[in-house]
Amino acid sequence: MISKNMEAALNHQIALEGYASQYYLAMASWCDKEGMEGAAEFLHFQSLEEREHMLKLFHYLSEVDGFAITPAIEQPPIEFESVQEVFSLVYEHEKKVTQSINDLVATCYSENDYNTLNFLQWYVEEQREEENQARSILDKIKLIGEGGQSLYYIDKEMKKFLAAALAKEAAAADSEAQ
Ligand code: FEO
């Protein structure tokens, strides 16, 4: 049984993850429109990841006799100035999600809710990786610079980031299957 306060806090996290999924989907669409296929593919993948993060919370709430609320999701921005702006916004959003996970962990301690604390460990690690990934992409974009041929190289780099993310996902699925 989960407390009403913790249930509300997890539902808030559901809304945040759901928004991230739509936000990254909007970014994927913009990158596609700008001919940045690699960046678009990466963001489509990331959008699906965020939906999975949201669904994991749904399942957890059901398991502990809570009620997961399907969130209303506000329209995310759909136009961006540049690919650098896109990934700078991804990085900012990931930092916001990390803060929210940290707040949830603090609530677990204040309520002595060790089940939820244990469940959230996965998110703590995931956020460390996602923040690091977003920062690395942004650093790479800044290093390459923007405009003209740079966009071609940035897009190539994005394919490498996607391949690394897919490999990480496959490895995690393998270890879960064992
Ligand atoms: Fe699920 Fe990237 O936060």
Side-chain angles (χ1 to χ4, degrees), residues 60-72:
Y60 177 73
L61 273 172
S62 301
E63 213 180 310
V64 294
D65 202 20
F67 181 47
I69 296 171
T70 305

Side-chain angles (χ1 to χ4, degrees), residues 6-165:
M6 184 59 82
E7 182 188 72
L10 291 174
N11 272 313
H12 172 75
Q13 189 66 28
I14 281 177
L16 206 55
E17 304 284 355
Y19 181 77
S21 180
Q22 296 296 86
Y23 197 16
Y24 298 166
L25 186 62
M27 290 171 175
S29 181
W30 182 84
C31 287
D32 243 332
K33 173 168 77 81
E34 298 296 314
M36 301 205 66
E37 191 192 307
E41 275 178 38
F42 177 87
L43 287 159
H44 272 294
F45 169 80
Q46 205 55 48
S47 169
L48 281 175
E49 287 267 293
E50 298 302 346
R51 181 170 165 78
E52 280 174 22
H53 297 173
M54 179 182 80
L55 293 179
K56 227 175 156 71
L57 287 154
F58 263 72
H59 295 308
Y60 177 73
L61 273 172
S62 301
E63 213 180 310
V64 294
D65 202 20
F67 181 47
I69 296 171
T70 305
I73 295 182
E74 67 178 279
Q75 169 78 63
I78 56 168
E79 291 288 349
F80 304 92
E81 297 266 311
S82 64
V83 72
Q84 182 168 321
E85 188 199 19
V86 165
F87 283 97
S88 152
L89 290 169
V90 169
Y91 183 39
E92 289 310 311
H93 195 72
E94 289 304 326
K95 286 197 283 185
K96 187 173 164 185
V97 174
T98 301
Q99 185 54 55
S100 175
I101 295 289
N102 290 344
D103 292 346
L104 280 173
V105 168
T107 307
C108 290
Y109 280 113
S110 70
E111 294 197 3
N112 292 335
D113 182 346
Y114 300 114
N115 265 332
T116 306
L117 180 67
N118 192 37
F119 165 73
L120 287 173
Q121 292 313 305
W122 182 87
Y123 284 84
V124 170
E125 194 175 334
E126 185 72 7
Q127 275 318 115
R128 179 177 52 74
E129 288 173 7
E130 291 211 332
E131 243 191 79
N132 181 41
Q133 175 181 254
R135 194 175 49 243
S136 303
I137 292 171
L138 198 53
D139 285 347
K140 185 70 84 174
I141 291 173
K142 286 181 184 165
L143 203 65
I144 296 174
E146 284 196 277
Q149 283 193 337
S150 303
L151 291 178
Y152 171 78
Y153 290 109
I154 289 171
D155 211 43
K156 265 182 95 151
E157 288 298 323
M158 290 312 304
K159 289 183 183 177
K160 288 188 205 162
F161 277 110
L162 175 60

